Amino acid sequence: MSEAHRPAGAPNWQIYQGSRRPHDGVDRLPEPPPWRTFTGGPPLRTPPGDSGNPHAAASYRPGAAAVRQVNAALYLRRPLLVTGAPGTGKSSLAYAVAHELGLGKVLHWPITSRVTLRDGLYEYDPLTRLYGAERARGGGKPGVDDIGDYLRLGPLGTALLPFEKPRVLLVDEIDKSDFDLPNDLLTIFEKGSYEVVELARRAAPTAKVMTADSTTDRVEIREGTVTCRAFPLVVMTSNGEREFPPAFLRRCVTVNLKQPATVEELTAIVREHLGGVVGQDGELPDGVRKIIKRFFERRSSGLLANDQLLNAIYMCHHASFSEQPESVLELADQVMPFLSSDAPRDHDD
């Protein structure tokens, strides 16, 4: 529904608005669909603190499509698959949402080809536990078997704890994962729960374990199973280097982040990130405008990322105090090399 057709006094349906101003709008989130209801407990409060990356959270400028799809993921309790070229702000989106909605520190899970589902859920250290038990026996002390000392939940495992409000989980570069990981994640996302095998096998399958971040005290796991209460906002980033199974895609909300289409959009990004370079009056120096224009023109010949532009402007701003303008622009080209192998080379050396 557009602004023009919204009834007078009706609140905006969008919980996340992309305003970058913290608010309690997440409290207006309606009950989940019946097929996405989870009843884990006892409920845990949202941990205190910021998103973990204040600059990314405060400077990110989401497009309208990103805002809509974030809200769709929140309403439907579904993972958000974010694709786009390098430097389009895929990871920053997670921090921006956590900052605006007051959802605490983002749980970051970087993905490589060696990562397994178990790595994201929890870690168990049986060797250290065995060593501690032997040392206690050698010293004549009674053995105290606190398995919670040797269990630590991973980012995914922590996000699925029964928090009252959704935690934000950033699954970074999922396209680099092993072939089976997306399907393994699909099962966890559908169930909203997982079993800690080492606890489930014990006669007393309850223990207080460590979490993936330092903002939460030890949490109690009962009967060897963790079940979420508020399904986390799972932001999975992808550079588009692989295709995902249809079953995985249909259970995700997807959004593709585009490169800025105009010089004006690039200029706005520079203003957000490099306020000290811009100056108090908001006017960009002529040299900065030239670098932005150069970046925009060169982007038509090969792959470039927005953070390369920011690096070039920062470097050239300081170099301009002693270098000639021609040398400064040459430095900008060197700091902004093409990222694709089929792009033309900037220099012969």
Side-chain angles (χ1 to χ4, degrees):
M1 182 179 293
S2 67
E3 294 288 339
H5 294 88
R6 185 186 305 136
N12 190 337
W13 72 274
Q14 295 180 334
I15 304 299
Y16 171 64
Q17 300 170 12
S19 67
R20 295 173 290 175
R21 294 188 298 271
H23 58 80
D24 59 1
V26 73
D27 294 334
R28 295 192 289 109
L29 193 63
E31 292 296 315
W35 55 89
R36 297 296 293 166
T37 299
F38 305 99
T39 57
L44 300 175
R45 291 187 176 182
T46 303
D50 60 27
S51 67
N53 191 337
H55 176 76
S59 60
Y60 182 67
R61 298 169 60 89
V67 171
R68 285 194 300 270
Q69 296 303 78
V70 166
N71 281 283
L74 287 169
Y75 272 75
L76 299 174
R77 278 67 171 182
R78 289 292 186 184
L80 179 68
L81 179 62
V82 186
T83 60
T88 49
K90 299 185 294 295
S91 299
S92 296
L93 177 59
Y95 294 98
V97 176
H99 169 75
E100 182 177 320
L101 300 185
L103 300 179
K105 185 178 180 180
V106 171
L107 295 159
H108 184 206
W109 187 20
I111 301 298
T112 69
S113 60
R114 299 180 299 276
V115 165
T116 66
L117 179 65
R118 171 70 176 266
D119 296 325
L121 291 176
Y122 67 93
E123 297 176 355
Y124 172 59
D125 188 354
L127 294 179
T128 303
R129 183 184 179 193
L130 178 62
Y131 175 73
E134 290 178 346
R135 213 165 79 173
R137 285 195 296 269
K141 298 179 181 179
V144 178
D145 182 26
D146 185 358
I147 193 173
D149 290 339
Y150 311 100
L151 273 169
R152 185 184 186 90
L153 301 184
L156 174 59
T158 301
L160 289 171
L161 287 169
F163 290 104
E164 293 178 323
K165 298 179 181 179
R167 293 294 301 270
V168 178
L169 171 66
L170 173 59
V171 184
D172 220 356
E173 298 191 321
I174 189 173
D175 45 355
K176 293 184 177 179
S177 71
D178 175 79
F179 180 81
D180 292 327
L181 183 61
N183 284 328
D184 293 340
L185 284 172
L186 186 60
T187 301
I188 294 294
F189 292 155
E190 286 301 296
K191 293 171 56 180
S193 67
Y194 63 95
E195 182 182 67
V196 180
V197 177
E198 289 76 9
L199 285 182
R201 290 174 177 170
R202 300 174 79 230
T206 298
K208 289 189 174 182
V209 305
M210 297 174 282
T211 64
D213 56 21
S214 58
T215 61
T216 306
D217 295 330
R218 282 201 187 194
V219 296
E220 187 176 65
I221 296 178
R222 299 179 178 180
E223 304 303 320
T225 300
V226 173
T227 302
C228 71
R229 191 176 188 89
F231 188 78
L233 176 64
V234 182
V235 179
M236 300 182 291
T237 70
S238 168
N239 291 325
E241 297 177 0
R242 65 179 284 187
E243 293 186 0
F244 296 102
F248 178 79
L249 291 175
R250 74 181 181 86
R251 289 176 173 86
C252 295
V253 175
T254 61
V255 62
N256 181 257
L257 301 185
K258 304 293 186 181
Q259 291 275 21
T262 65
V263 170
E264 288 72 25
E265 290 180 16
L266 283 171
T267 302
I269 291 174
V270 170
R271 284 198 173 98
E272 292 293 341
H273 285 272
L274 295 171
V277 172
V278 172
Q280 294 183 351
D281 58 359
E283 287 298 318
L284 293 178
D286 184 59
V288 172
R289 292 186 180 279
K290 287 181 178 179
I291 296 173
I292 294 175
K293 183 178 179 181
R294 196 178 189 98
F295 175 87
F296 188 78
E297 293 171 345
R298 293 177 77 242
R299 204 178 66 184
S300 62
S301 300
L303 181 62
L304 292 172
N306 295 343
D307 53 357
Q308 291 177 286
L309 171 62
L310 298 175
N311 290 336
I313 290 175
Y314 180 83
M315 288 292 300
C316 292
H317 169 71
H318 292 282
S320 64
F321 296 119
S322 57
E323 297 278 350
Q324 294 297 317
E326 295 79 9
S327 299
V328 171
L329 283 177
E330 183 179 346
L331 173 61
D333 289 345
Q334 293 171 342
V335 178
M336 300 186 298
F338 290 111
L339 302 178
S340 52
S341 58
D342 57 347
R345 296 184 63 181
D346 293 320
H347 303 283
D348 294 334
D349 55 355

